[in-house]
Amino acid sequence: MSATLLRTSAVRSALRSSPRASFGAATFVRGKATLPDLKYDYGALEPAISGKIMELHHSKHHQTYVTSYNNALEQVEAAQAKEDIATQISLKPLINFHGGGHINHTLFWENLAPKNQGGGEPPSGALSKAIDEQFGGLDSLKQKFNAALAGIQGSGWAWLVQDTQTGNIGIKTYANQDPVVGQFRPILGIDAWEHAYYLQYQNRKAEYFGAVWDVVNWKAAESRFK
Amino acid sequence: MAATTYTLPKLPYAYNALEPAISAQIMELHHSKHHQTYVTNLNNAAKSLATAQANNDIPTQIQLQPALRFHGGGHINHSLFWQNLAPPSSLDTKINAAPKLSEAIKATFGSEKAFKDKFNAALLGIQGSGWGWLVRFDNENGRIGIVTTKDQDPVVGAGEVPLFGVDMWEHAYYLQYLNGKAAYVENIWSVISWKTAEQRYLGKSADVFASLKASM
Ligand SMILES: [Fe+2]
Ligand SMILES: [Fe+2]
């Protein structure tokens, strides 16, 4: 575990003990986003996802989103102080992209788990019931989810989402780092950017989409489902 | 109404010829797997489109547009990309292989260095997968400019002539550069074929895409 404790602070260690309630708060300390620690080692998701991928993905890619988000936020704050509306608007794509990257990856790490922490164990309770009713079972959901992942044209994510209006669940894809906000609530996300699998799977992305279910943390998904 | 069959074009150099800027492993996967997949899926989409056209089935024709754009764009972009790269030892990669274009670059951007800085910044600013292109705009008196496109959107607008492009999908550099895409962007200049760029700059839009027709 020590390998993953890159930037442990008392604040984050304390927040880690109540991860469910703390998603928003845990990653924004005094207005600044910080890289969250993983709850498992980089190598813990092997063979589905290699340790090398996890290390780069968390310590480099996610870190870059955090850093760039903080930079963009600083510029927004400066523009706000000057009541410079044009600059505030021009910064919106950066907030969406880097803030989205931070949110998406934070949720992603949480909805993955090694086998010995419940990774791959099928969902239970209300979410399981909703999956059965709306998809005809978990296998059918996985099939449709994988088809959605494979159909992404470029970089992006596929999410199991809950419609906050109807309560129904569904599969949606999002381009680049567009986050799941607004009408839909994120339940389970899979990163379909090439950096998420390329070192291990190269162009064989269907193999990654097949294997990732072995490390999906359905308990985390259940806790997001309302 | 049989659909045309597109084929993967041969590279004008060996897979390892662009080293050290781009590794042989990347080139082989990129050409033989990624580009091939675009060609295969383009042919599938073209076939479905031909059937829908034969049946006067307009909804299906419209529904096929995104696949045609994505896979057709992937085929066009990669075909142009391979041609606008050359081994670093080749004289084609020196900017004096593009006398007219380099004049236009200096007139537009001030200097070769200023142009490269702006092009690099554009490449690094792409949010997600996409491409950066130097383009000639015939509708604007033949001016040149830097354009970025998302995913596999091709530069095929009326009066737009792509002079050279750089693939900013992660598959284009990840095995060698990992998250260090700034180094990829820096090194790509050692393998840009200024000779190809000059030919495209002096030619017509149709000339640029002519080689694509030849590979049908
Ligand atoms: Fe990612
Ligand atoms: Fe590519």
Side-chain angles (χ1 to χ4, degrees), chain A residues 65-89:
Chain A
Y65 290 116
V66 168
T67 306
S68 304
Y69 169 76
N70 286 332
N71 290 343
L73 190 62
E74 246 172 56
Q75 295 177 60
V76 170
E77 285 165 355
Q80 281 169 339
K82 284 190 275 185
E83 295 182 5
D84 177 351
I85 295 175
T87 299
Q88 289 178 55
I89 293 171

Side-chain angles (χ1 to χ4, degrees), chain A residues 143-225:
Chain A
Q143 240 174 42
K144 292 200 171 81
F145 204 106
N146 285 354
L149 283 164
I152 294 172
Q153 297 183 334
S155 299
W157 293 72
W159 289 89
L160 182 66
V161 298
Q162 185 175 21
D163 187 332
T164 58
Q165 293 168 355
T166 63
N168 288 334
I169 54 171
I171 297 163
K172 283 175 69 72
T173 59
Y174 290 75
N176 303 322
Q177 295 297 355
D178 286 354
V180 184
V181 293
Q183 184 186 346
F184 298 98
R185 177 182 296 134
I187 304 295
L188 169 73
I190 302 296
D191 190 343
W193 280 59
E194 287 173 323
H195 67 234
Y197 61 83
Y198 208 81
L199 290 181
Q200 187 176 355
Y201 296 96
Q202 289 91 41
N203 61 303
R204 306 180 312 279
K205 61 182 176 180
E207 287 180 30
Y208 160 65
F209 300 147
V212 77
W213 297 102
D214 292 342
V215 291
V216 161
N217 179 1
W218 283 104
K219 282 273 164 285
E222 282 170 38
S223 71
R224 293 172 188 161
F225 180 71

Side-chain angles (χ1 to χ4, degrees), chain B residues 150-161:
Chain B
K150 68 175 175 57
D151 304 327
Q152 293 298 355
D153 285 354
V155 180
V156 288
E160 292 180 9
V161 184

Side-chain angles (χ1 to χ4, degrees), chain A residues 41-69:
Chain A
D41 287 327
Y42 287 138
L45 303 185
E46 292 187 352
I49 306 175
S50 75
K52 178 98 188 281
I53 287 178
M54 286 301 296
E55 180 168 2
L56 281 161
H57 203 169
H58 177 258
S59 73
K60 302 292 184 187
H61 290 278
H62 190 170
Q63 179 63 61
T64 301
Y65 290 116
V66 168
T67 306
S68 304
Y69 169 76

Side-chain angles (χ1 to χ4, degrees), chain B residues 89-109:
Chain B
S89 58
S90 157
L91 289 177
D92 297 356
T93 62
K94 312 297 172 249
I95 198 164
N96 22 0
K100 291 286 177 203
L101 176 57
S102 63
E103 234 172 73
I105 284 174
K106 277 177 199 127
T108 306
F109 296 96

Side-chain angles (χ1 to χ4, degrees), chain A residues 109-126:
Chain A
W109 309 135
E110 284 178 6
N111 68 220
L112 297 179
K115 276 190 178 167
N116 63 13
Q117 290 177 30
E121 265 172 43
S124 57

Side-chain angles (χ1 to χ4, degrees), chain B residues 30 34 38 78 131 152 167 169 171-172:
Chain B
H30 203 169
H34 290 278
Y38 290 116
H78 286 92
W131 292 74
Q152 293 298 355
D167 189 345
W169 282 57
H171 66 234

